[in-house]
């Protein structure tokens, strides 16, 4: 019954662009919980997010304090370093963790049903993971951004990076988590990453081509950048919101 229900808390590690959209979705009751718990290494960011909300929220000074409040789900929306540092501890506590900085998971080798990877700034991972079971021959991931994003002025499309997803996620920990998500999904197949400075695109455009045992796929996402962090696509935050909604519904 409602009165006996345990209070449902959601923890957010990192209080930047993604966290703000998640908190607003909670406030708008798209995600049902009773309280938000914020941690950011920059406490001012956590305090600012709390004061912008008309929803119960607590700011904590570290992960230990967050864990004592027993959130049902925690969302890491901070950095690969944060995911590396906290993922195992959170999963060991039996708390569901949504990881946005997926590049960290490439070298952690964590096997836990408590760790969840949202599709982030792309989609179609269901089809990709199905194909991965049968056998994938080739995955090429191309990320196109307007030259502005690279502080470049090229008039023709220009490849600015080409390499593996693992290397891309390591070299660009704040930009290439999408490539890491793909790499985690198609394992053991490898993902070839191309980053293109392209005057022909205004949006952050991610596309991937897959050749697998029984066919081919081509998916393309043209994402509006998050107004407060142009590196982040709003779709990434919405994918976390959707996953959070599902996890909370499943846990009631
Ligand atoms: N999976 C995807 O498709 C995808 C898409 C976009 C962004 N991301 C990743 O999600 C993460 C968050 O993105 P954002 O746009 O909200 O970033 P942001 O820079 O707007 O906010 C990140 C916040 O986390 C805090 N932070 C950083 N390291 C921390 C740590 N170790 N402990 C506590 N707080 C810490 C920062 O102070 C900052 O306030 C980034 O790693 C980003 O690369 C993933």
């Amino acid at each position: 019954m409602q009165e006996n229900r345990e209070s449902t808390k959601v923890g957010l590690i990192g209080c930047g662009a993604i966290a703000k959209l998640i908190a607003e979705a909670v406030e708008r009751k798209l995600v049902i919980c009773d309280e938000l718990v914020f941690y950011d290494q920059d406490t001012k960011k956590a305090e600012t997010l709390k004061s912008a909300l008309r929803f119960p929220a607590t700011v904590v000074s570290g992960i230990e304090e967050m864990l004592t409040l027993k959130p049902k789900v925690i969302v890491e929306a901070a950095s690969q370093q944060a995911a590396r540092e906290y993922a195992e501890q959170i999963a060991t506590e039996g708390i569901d963790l949504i990881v946005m900085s997926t590049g960290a998971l490439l070298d952690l080798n964590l096997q836990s049903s408590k760790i969840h990877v949202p599709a982030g700034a792309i989609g179609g991972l269901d089809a990709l993971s199905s194909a991965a079971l049968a056998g994938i021959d080739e995955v090429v991931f191309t990320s196109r951004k307007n030259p502005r994003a690279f502080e470049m002025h090229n008039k023709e499309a220009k490849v600015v990076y080409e390499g593996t997803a693992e290397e891309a996620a390591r070299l660009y920990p704040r930009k290439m988590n999408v490539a890491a998500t793909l790499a985690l999904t198609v394992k053991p197949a490898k993902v070839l990453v191309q980053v293109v400075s392209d005057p022909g695109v205004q949006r952050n455009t991610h596309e991937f081509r897959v050749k697998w045992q029984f066919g081919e796929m081509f998916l393309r996402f043209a994402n509006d950048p998050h107004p407060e962090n142009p590196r982040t696509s709003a779709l990434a935050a919405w994918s976390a919101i959707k996953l959070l909604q599902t996890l909370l519904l499943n846990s009631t």
Side-chain angles (χ1 to χ4, degrees), residues 141-160:
F141 170 69
T142 306
S143 175
R144 290 174 196 277
K145 289 183 184 156
N146 189 276
R148 275 193 309 272
F150 306 98
E151 295 173 18
M152 289 171 62
H153 302 282
N154 50 303
K155 301 276 181 259
E156 305 279 326
K158 188 173 186 322
V159 176
V160 295

Side-chain angles (χ1 to χ4, degrees), residues 13-19 39-42 45 76-82 85-86 99-102 118-122 173-175 177-178 181 229 231-233 236:
I13 302 174
C15 296
I18 289 179
Y39 168 57
D40 196 295
Q41 63 186 13
D42 177 351
K45 301 276 294 256
E76 174 280 316
S79 60
Q80 288 189 18
Q81 185 219 338
E85 220 167 304
Y86 310 130
V99 177
M100 294 310 299
S101 308
T102 50
I122 53 171
R174 300 175 65 123
K175 291 196 185 106
N177 287 302
V178 176
T181 303
N229 182 351
R231 279 189 307 269
T232 284
S233 304

